[in-house]
């Protein structure tokens, strides 16, 4: 990746090429820690009106990867539209340019994970959200690049790891940190300093890379940084090794893998000089209401209302939220929901009634803003699943 970036820089900045062919015909594989930083470097020159033409891989699997990750879309949006493939375990490459885009993107990532890994320990979820926010904020704060950054995330169910890569094409850690510390650092020294607690160029607290590397290491995952003429790797043996590289990556790329196979004591990973730190997360801010009521807006929470898999993932997400915040009541808000399928109603409502019983459901659940047709679908679904002639939902209110 480094050599490819250097070659492209030379072709454009020193030899004056305005159109470059990217020949992937013989390439068989590339991982996110290559595709994401390469993508943001290409975007830098695309914004400067350089054109890139792609020769697609001969290998079908790698060609589909470039399409499904939106790597090709970022190069040529007209020729390669956004991927329409819904990958539960893979987030395509996304670009963020400001704090609002960062916040929306992180929330979207966490929301998707809640539907997919419904058995995930809360500490891993907090750790992932904190690390993503810290590293993406570093891009916006320190890179000095109007491009912003790019991020891609994958969930590896076999190795039980959530891995993500964040990259920018800015000034890089060696330049940024040397200026802030007001002393010259070699590129290797800069990367070694960057993962120490409290090291910053003056803007921020300097805890993002330190905390993220600790989270990865303590969980049994991995952490690496590419920036300038150096590479740092925090391996699965809890050891950080930095080494020089002759080829320069003009920007910063950070890869982090959090292993979720065993419990993570987040306070041990985020132990700063002022004491352990337990960050608030999306669940705290969005769902944990002071009145003891979990408000669950179906139009925002359900990926679809037309099929059983959507009902299943929505129910599992709801069950996970209930297990984490133990609300007194759950308000299922059907506002702006069209006619749902009977299979969706069966998965979301009827299986919940079957599991906890109709009395407990009536004690805890409120169904509101629901259409007449949808309440009929729910009643019919419950009767069929419980094999009863009549059922009464005490707290179901039509819109």
């Amino acid at each position: 990746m480094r050599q490819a970036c250097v070659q492209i820089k030379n072709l454009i900045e020193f030899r004056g090429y305005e159109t470059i062919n990217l020949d992937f015909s013989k390439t068989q594989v590339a991982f996110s820690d290559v595709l994401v930083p390469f993508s943001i470097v290409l975007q830098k020159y695309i914004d400067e009106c350089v054109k890139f033409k792609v020769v697609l891989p001969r290998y079908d699997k790698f060609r589909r990867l470039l399409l499904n990750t939106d790597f090709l879309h970022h190069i040529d949006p007209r020729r390669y539209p956004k991927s329409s493939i819904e990958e539960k375990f893979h987030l395509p490459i996304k670009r963020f340019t400001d704090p609002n885009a960062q916040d929306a993107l992180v929330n979207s990532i966490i929301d998707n994970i809640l539907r997919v890994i419904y058995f995930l320990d809360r500490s891993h979820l907090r750790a992932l959200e904190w690390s993503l926010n810290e590293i993406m904020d570093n891009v916006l704060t320190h890179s000095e690049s109007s491009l912003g950054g790019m991020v891609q995330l994958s969930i590896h169910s076999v190795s039980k790891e959530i891995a993500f890569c964040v990259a920018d094409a800015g000034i890089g850690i060696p330049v940024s940190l040397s200026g802030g510390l007001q002393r010259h650092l070699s590129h290797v020294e800069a990367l070694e300093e960057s993962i120490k607690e409290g090291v910053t160029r003056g803007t921020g607290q300097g805890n993002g890379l330190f905390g993220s590397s600790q989270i990865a290491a303590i969980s049994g995952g991995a952490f690496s940084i590419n920036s300038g003429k150096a590479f740092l790797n925090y391996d699965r043996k809890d050891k950080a090794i930095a080494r020089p590289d002759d080829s320069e990556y003009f920007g910063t790329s950070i890869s982090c893998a959090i292993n979720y196979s065993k419990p993570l004591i987040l306070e041990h990973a985020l132990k700063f000089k002022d004491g352990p730190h337990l960050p608030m997360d999306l669940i705290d801010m969005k769902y944990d209401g002071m009145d003891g009521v979990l408000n669950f807006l179906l139009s925002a929470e359900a990926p679809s209302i037309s099929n059983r898999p959507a009902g299943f993932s929505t129910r599992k997400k709801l069950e996970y939220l209930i297990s984490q915040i133990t609300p007194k009541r759950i308000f299922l808000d059907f506002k702006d929901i069209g006619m749902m399928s009977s299979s969706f109603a069966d998965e979301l409502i009827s299986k919940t009634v079957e599991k906890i019983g109709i009395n407990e459901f009536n004690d805890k659940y409120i169904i509101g803003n629901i259409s007449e047709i949808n309440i009929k679908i729910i009643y019919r679904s419950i009767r069929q699943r419980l094999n009863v002639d009549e059922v009464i939902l005490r707290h179901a209110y039509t819109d």
Side-chain angles (χ1 to χ4, degrees):
M1 183 272 294
R2 284 174 172 268
Q3 291 183 351
C5 291
V6 169
Q7 292 298 323
I8 287 173
K9 180 179 181 179
N10 289 337
L11 288 172
I12 295 169
E13 297 185 15
F14 297 103
R15 300 183 63 182
Y17 281 86
E18 296 180 352
T19 301
I20 296 175
N21 290 333
L22 300 174
D23 189 351
F24 291 100
S25 61
K26 295 182 180 180
T27 309
Q28 298 186 44
V29 66
F31 299 105
S32 62
D33 58 353
V34 171
L35 292 180
V36 179
F38 193 38
S39 185
I40 192 68
V41 168
L42 295 178
Q43 193 65 56
K44 165 183 165 63
Y45 291 117
I46 290 170
D47 285 5
E48 296 173 3
C49 298
V50 176
K51 293 182 180 180
F52 293 96
K53 296 181 179 179
V54 177
V55 180
L56 293 175
R58 297 172 185 171
Y59 302 93
D60 181 64
K61 186 175 181 180
F62 186 53
R63 183 169 61 250
R64 283 187 281 110
L65 175 71
L66 295 184
L67 288 166
N68 294 341
T69 59
D70 280 341
F71 176 82
L72 295 177
H73 170 73
H74 287 290
I75 295 174
D76 190 346
R78 292 184 179 180
R79 185 173 182 182
Y80 304 105
K82 279 188 177 182
S83 173
S84 59
I85 304 295
E86 290 190 9
E87 290 279 359
K88 289 184 178 180
F89 297 101
H90 300 282
L91 172 81
I93 298 172
K94 300 285 187 181
R95 183 178 173 186
F96 59 97
T97 56
D98 57 57
N100 290 333
Q102 171 199 334
D103 185 60
L105 186 50
V106 173
N107 289 347
S108 175
I109 290 171
I110 299 302
D111 180 72
N112 185 64
I113 289 174
L114 285 172
R115 294 196 188 101
V116 176
I117 316 181
Y118 41 83
F119 49 82
L120 190 68
D121 188 88
R122 178 77 174 274
S123 62
H124 295 105
L125 197 66
R126 284 186 192 271
L128 174 65
E129 186 175 345
W130 186 87
S131 294
L132 278 169
N133 272 318
E134 288 290 326
I135 294 172
M136 292 168 71
D137 180 66
N138 279 353
V139 170
L140 300 178
T141 304
H142 301 297
S143 72
E144 298 185 13
S145 171
S146 60
L147 285 172
M150 286 184 170
V151 60
Q152 194 271 334
L153 179 141
S154 295
I155 302 168
H156 303 290
S157 56
V158 176
S159 61
K160 292 183 169 31
E161 286 187 343
I162 302 175
F164 66 88
C165 180
V166 178
D168 66 71
I171 61 174
I173 289 175
V175 173
S176 174
L177 205 54
S178 292
L181 296 177
Q182 295 183 340
R183 61 186 174 93
H184 175 73
L185 295 171
S186 72
H187 288 209
V188 168
E189 289 172 332
L191 265 56
E192 290 173 335
E193 288 291 315
S194 72
I195 61 169
K196 293 180 180 178
E197 180 186 356
V199 175
T200 177
R201 69 170 186 172
T203 51
Q205 295 179 314
N207 291 326
L209 296 185
F210 166 73
S212 297
S213 63
Q214 290 298 301
I215 286 169
I218 290 176
S219 75
F223 184 86
S224 64
I225 304 175
N226 257 305
S227 192
K229 289 187 174 183
F231 172 79
L232 181 142
N233 183 50
Y234 217 126
D235 63 19
R236 288 171 172 79
K237 296 181 181 179
D238 196 17
K239 185 177 181 181
I241 300 174
R243 68 173 188 267
D245 196 302
D246 292 335
S247 300
E248 182 174 11
Y249 176 66
F250 45 101
T252 300
S253 174
I254 296 174
S255 296
C256 180
I258 300 172
N259 189 292
Y260 60 86
S261 63
K262 57 185 179 182
L264 171 67
I265 303 176
L266 190 56
E267 294 91 326
H268 288 180
L270 300 181
K271 187 180 289 185
F272 304 130
K273 291 178 181 178
D274 57 353
H277 178 57
L278 185 65
M280 290 188 68
D281 61 6
L282 181 66
I283 295 176
D284 291 321
M285 295 182 284
K286 184 177 179 181
Y287 300 103
D288 197 357
M290 297 297 292
D291 55 1
V293 177
L294 169 57
N295 293 294
F296 198 76
L297 181 64
L298 268 296
S299 61
E301 306 294 350
S304 168
I305 56 167
S306 61
N307 56 71
R308 187 171 292 278
F312 175 83
S313 65
T314 304
R315 174 167 56 86
K316 287 300 182 180
K317 177 180 180 180
L318 180 59
E319 288 175 352
Y320 182 85
L321 292 172
I322 292 170
S323 72
Q324 296 302 310
I325 63 178
T326 58
K328 295 178 181 178
R329 304 294 292 272
I330 300 100
F331 180 60
L332 299 180
D333 192 343
F334 281 79
K335 184 179 180 181
D336 299 326
I337 291 291
M339 187 171 70
M340 61 182 161
S341 69
S342 57
S343 59
F344 179 88
D346 181 54
E347 278 292 339
L348 177 62
I349 305 296
S350 304
K351 285 191 175 182
T352 301
V353 173
E354 181 183 46
K355 181 178 180 180
I356 67 176
I358 188 64
N359 290 332
E360 185 175 343
F361 187 90
N362 278 328
D363 287 341
K364 289 188 174 181
Y365 284 78
I366 302 169
I367 297 176
N369 300 316
I370 190 168
S371 65
E372 292 283 356
I373 185 64
N374 278 338
I375 197 65
K376 290 179 180 178
I377 290 172
I378 288 176
Y379 271 118
R380 182 173 182 273
S381 173
I382 296 175
R383 288 196 299 268
Q384 286 183 329
R385 175 154 291 277
L386 301 184
N387 195 24
V388 296
D389 295 328
E390 185 177 4
V391 66
I392 296 175
L393 299 177
R394 291 203 304 265
H395 306 290
Y397 308 102
T398 57
D399 51 11

